[in-house]
Amino acid sequence: MKICVLPGDGIGPEITAEAVRVLKALDLAVEMEEALLGGCAVDATGDPYPEATQKLAQAADAVLLGAVGGPKWDSYPREQRPERGLLGIRKQLGLFANLRPAILYSELANASTLKPDVVAGLDILIVRELTGDIYFGQPRGIEVRNGERFGLNTMHYTESEIRRILRVAFEAARKRSRKVCSVDKMNVLECTQLWRDVAIETGREYPDVELSHMLVDNAAMQLVKNPRQFDVMVTGNMFGDILSDEASMLTGSIGMLPSASLDANNKGLYEPCHGSAPDIAGKGVANPLATILSVAMMLRYTFVNDAAARRIEDAVKKVLAQGFRTGDIYEPGMKQVGTREMGDAVLAAL
Ligand code: NAD
């Protein structure tokens, strides 16, 4: 298992170090090599996604990323912004499937802004198509027509693009509670009528998985009304962008949320959902659990080692049950710890 490790900027190096320690403790046959991405790469080479990093990322089976960005680079020209590095690696590796679990551990039920009885035990996986839809469709732009400004974007999907993301969702559901809810807006948008048709066709390949459909406006409501009805939700790029943020906020704790972006062969880029948190960088207080849980996703989806993934997830549950909390998830009566101590606690629980 060849893993390219990209610690990045801000808290990235601190949280990635803990995830790497956890991975090493599992005693699997892994080879890890570090490279530069984001602001640190701009500082060293002038390029947010340098040649050497590209080679390493392309040769690896999986990429583990901390986070990129920070105020230092905000005024740099667009091609030297850290986010360019992130978009560059996603595009180059053809990562079309974004998987974002929203899990609310019962110990953290008070962290959500929703009532604990609505969200306790929440465990949803949002599967978002990442390389198509209105975000990439041509023509696009702002022009003047009939004497006034006119804005234009184009929504489109091919049936093969829809089918491949649906298959990712069905395969993921087979590892969970075997329910897929496909989200569209077929009552208004022809493009998503095709989405629904292809979802129904693809569903026939997975008779063991229950398929349902929901319009996106209703899905947004149901996510806050009764989120536990969902197992896997699958949708296009734009709806997924919005629904995955909504779902992750149900849990109330950004430091706990991992993500995976996969290509057609399950090669993946794994990273926490949060950013580089410049406000707390270098202080040793960041929550490393989202990055550690991203390693669990890597083991499950790229290396097909569910047992090892579960070991990490169980260890995280155990440290929460033992009362260990970083500042972002702290509640009175719990043991407040820093990044390294949280890593130590996970290692001890393993
Ligand atoms: P952020 O997620 O970095 O921080 C938002 C808030 O959450 C901050 O108060 C931060 O301290 C806190 N936080 C985030 N992660 C935490 C953790 N692990 N433990 C404890 N607290 C945590 O979002 P932002 O402030 O909007 O962005 C900061 C920088 O990160 C920007 O440069 C942005 O472009 C970049 N960013 C990068 C990514 C990425 O690398 N994928 C994603 C989002 C933002």
Side-chain angles (χ1 to χ4, degrees):
M1 299 191 273
K2 270 200 205 156
I3 300 169
C4 168
V5 180
L6 305 173
D9 309 314
I11 58 169
E14 300 164 51
I15 52 176
T16 312
E18 298 314 311
V20 165
R21 285 211 298 152
V22 168
L23 191 51
K24 283 185 177 158
L26 292 174
D27 225 9
L28 302 166
V30 291
E31 264 175 51
M32 285 187 264
E33 213 170 321
E34 269 193 24
L36 299 172
L37 183 82
C40 59
V42 171
D43 288 351
T45 70
D47 182 350
Y49 186 32
E51 192 81 30
T53 306
Q54 295 185 28
K55 279 200 181 125
L56 206 62
Q58 284 175 301
D61 301 307
V63 178
L64 177 67
L65 171 65
V68 300
K72 177 177 175 190
W73 302 282
D74 281 352
S75 54
Y76 279 45
R78 204 155 279 280
E79 62 283 1
Q80 286 196 335
R81 298 258 182 91
E83 297 73 20
R84 267 296 165 104
L86 203 52
L87 294 178
I89 190 169
R90 285 179 181 154
K91 185 157 187 235
Q92 189 183 59
L93 299 183
L95 306 172
F96 70 90
N98 183 231
L99 277 59
R100 273 172 64 166
I103 296 176
L104 185 62
Y105 297 95
S106 48
E107 291 81 4
L108 301 180
N110 289 328
S112 176
T113 48
L114 296 191
K115 291 185 194 133
D117 59 307
V118 175
V119 287
L122 180 80
D123 184 355
I124 307 177
L125 178 68
I126 306 252
V127 178
R128 166 189 172 195
E129 201 286 329
L130 208 53
T131 53
D133 204 348
I134 195 163
Y135 289 2
F136 293 92
Q138 296 287 349
R140 64 191 298 157
I142 301 173
E143 55 198 63
V144 176
R145 288 193 190 177
N146 301 325
E148 63 174 345
R149 281 175 298 165
F150 176 89
L152 169 72
N153 286 94
T154 307
M155 176 180 259
H156 60 63
Y157 268 120
T158 62
E159 60 174 313
S160 56
E161 284 175 318
I162 301 170
R163 198 168 289 116
R164 69 178 182 174
I165 191 74
L166 259 300
R167 285 193 176 129
V168 171
F170 280 110
E171 294 292 339
R174 279 185 166 164
K175 297 182 175 138
R176 300 169 45 96
S177 302
R178 295 179 183 257
K179 276 168 45 177
V180 168
C181 178
S182 169
V183 176
D184 59 48
K185 187 73 183 169
M186 55 79 81
N187 53 341
V188 180
L189 299 169
E190 288 81 356
C191 177
T192 74
Q193 174 69 58
L194 178 68
W195 180 284
R196 184 168 296 202
D197 294 346
V198 175
I200 291 168
E201 290 160 24
T202 312
R204 294 193 190 111
E205 298 168 23
Y206 298 86
D208 53 321
V209 180
E210 182 191 320
L211 172 66
S212 61
H213 307 273
M214 202 176 269
L215 298 175
V216 64
D217 40 352
N218 188 24
M221 281 198 297
Q222 294 298 327
L223 266 177
V224 285
K225 189 172 174 222
N226 177 18
R228 279 183 306 206
Q229 69 185 285
F230 298 112
D231 177 25
V232 175
M233 292 179 99
V234 59
T235 190
N237 202 348
M238 180 166 62
F239 298 159
D241 190 0
I242 299 162
L243 294 181
S244 63
D245 267 19
E246 186 188 2
S248 64
M249 276 305 103
L250 297 175
T251 71
S253 45
I254 196 163
M256 296 294 304
L257 301 167
S259 79
S261 303
L262 306 177
D263 78 356
N265 304 308
N266 282 347
K267 174 172 177 163
L269 178 120
Y270 298 85
E271 57 179 326
C273 289
H274 59 73
S276 59
D279 53 332
I280 55 168
K283 295 184 180 159
V285 298
N287 186 348
L289 294 179
T291 319
I292 290 172
L293 290 167
S294 299
V295 170
M297 290 191 83
M298 177 190 288
L299 292 167
R300 174 166 296 123
Y301 291 105
T302 292
F303 299 121
V304 201
N305 188 340
D306 212 50
R310 269 178 213 280
R311 275 191 71 196
I312 295 179
E313 289 160 354
D314 288 346
V316 168
K317 279 184 203 144
K318 192 167 171 189
V319 301
L320 294 175
Q322 288 168 336
F324 292 102
R325 300 282 188 277
T326 43
D328 57 312
I329 52 173
Y330 179 73
E331 282 177 71
M334 299 292 146
K335 291 173 224 164
Q336 188 161 357
V337 294
T339 312
R340 176 45 59 108
E341 293 154 290
M342 187 58 108
D344 288 342
V346 174
L347 288 177
L350 273 179

